[in-house]
Amino acid sequence: MNKSTPAIREPWNKGKLVGQKTPLRLKDIWAIRVRLQLAEKIRDLALFELAIDSKLRACDLISLRVRDVAHGDHVSSRAVVMQRKTKRPVQFEITEQTRNALETWIIRAKLRNDDYLFPSRLSRLDHLSTRQYARIVKNWVTSIGLDPSSYGTHTLRRTKASLIYRRTKNLRAVQLLLGHTKIESTVRYLGIEVDDALEMAEQTEV
């Protein structure tokens, strides 16, 4: 009696780019920002600006309530959020550009203090899902001609952290901003060992 050959299962990541997602460059940030402004996508602009500033994980970003960043219509210059993953608080700055975008969105959407900052369009009682947020990010990067397989929600989390590290080389500061408990996590997250080695190699002529 012949035994049937077991079906060969393809790996879940076949044909997909896995690993860390690429942070945006300054020109990419401005390209997305301008497109959202021109299209008058008020919610998306507020979401994009806050994602860059806050450096929060997707699950923490989408579950923010108005009271986490604002008092009434007035958005604060700093905020503190309890991270879902680590159960530790993390503080972040909210730049003037982001404050303006958020204030416009809060007023336009008529959001109250206890409302989710980015409510789902399917139900005002719930916030954007991580899947919806990922889809929005994909649309952003695709709109400026970037390969969506190389970018994701973690792109927004990594972007400002990577820029800060590049300018300051201050790992401890970036660790605090990302809310990492161990500095080794920050090193791995930024991929700085590989990047710095490549940068030094590029600057070395032989």
Side-chain angles (χ1 to χ4, degrees):
M1 185 175 178
N2 293 331
K3 291 184 179 180
S4 58
T5 305
I8 299 173
R9 297 178 64 183
E10 287 190 350
W12 67 271
N13 58 355
K14 183 178 180 181
K16 296 182 181 179
L17 184 65
V18 295
Q20 293 177 333
K21 295 299 184 182
T22 308
L24 295 172
R25 298 162 296 181
L26 278 175
K27 69 175 186 178
D28 300 329
I29 295 172
W30 276 101
I32 292 173
R33 178 179 288 146
V34 169
R35 280 181 175 270
L36 294 177
Q37 289 171 339
L38 291 174
E40 296 184 350
K41 293 190 173 181
I42 296 172
R43 184 205 63 175
D44 278 22
L45 181 62
L47 179 60
F48 176 71
E49 300 286 12
L50 187 58
I52 295 288
D53 270 1
S54 71
K55 302 166 286 292
L56 290 173
R57 295 177 181 86
C59 61
D60 293 324
L61 177 69
I62 61 174
S63 59
L64 287 173
R65 293 181 186 268
V66 173
R67 64 170 180 257
D68 292 322
V69 299
H71 302 287
D73 295 338
H74 177 69
V75 177
S76 307
S77 59
R78 289 186 180 182
V80 180
V81 173
M82 188 66 67
Q83 299 173 99
R84 188 175 299 182
K85 182 178 180 180
T86 64
K87 308 300 181 189
R88 291 164 62 96
V90 65
Q91 187 172 190
F92 57 89
E93 77 289 355
I94 306 177
T95 61
E96 183 179 2
Q97 190 160 236
T98 301
R99 293 198 299 272
N100 291 338
L102 285 170
E103 287 170 3
T104 301
W105 165 240
I106 290 169
I107 292 170
R108 177 68 65 90
K110 299 178 181 178
L111 299 177
R112 294 165 298 187
N113 202 42
D114 289 333
D115 288 342
Y116 285 113
L117 193 54
F118 302 107
S120 171
R121 286 173 176 166
L122 303 177
S123 169
R124 281 191 62 85
L125 300 178
D126 205 358
H127 54 71
L128 277 178
S129 67
T130 52
R131 186 181 293 249
Q132 288 172 315
Y133 176 43
R135 214 163 27 235
I136 291 168
V137 172
K138 181 179 179 179
N139 289 338
W140 290 342
V141 298
T142 303
S143 73
I144 61 169
L146 297 177
D147 179 0
S149 67
S150 298
Y151 299 85
T153 58
H154 262 285
T155 288
L156 282 299
R157 175 163 159 76
R158 292 186 70 206
T159 292
K160 197 166 187 178
S162 298
L163 291 171
I164 291 169
Y165 176 74
R166 285 284 169 224
R167 290 175 183 173
T168 67
K169 300 297 183 182
N170 189 332
L171 257 183
R172 174 60 178 161
V174 176
Q175 178 194 0
L176 291 171
L177 292 170
L178 289 172
H180 285 159
T181 53
K182 296 180 180 179
I183 204 160
E184 291 85 355
S185 301
T186 309
V187 170
R188 287 196 303 273
Y189 192 77
L190 295 180
I192 59 175
E193 292 176 316
V194 173
D195 285 350
D196 283 354
L198 288 172
E199 189 174 310
M200 286 186 286
E202 287 168 354
Q203 294 172 358
T204 304
E205 294 184 4
V206 294

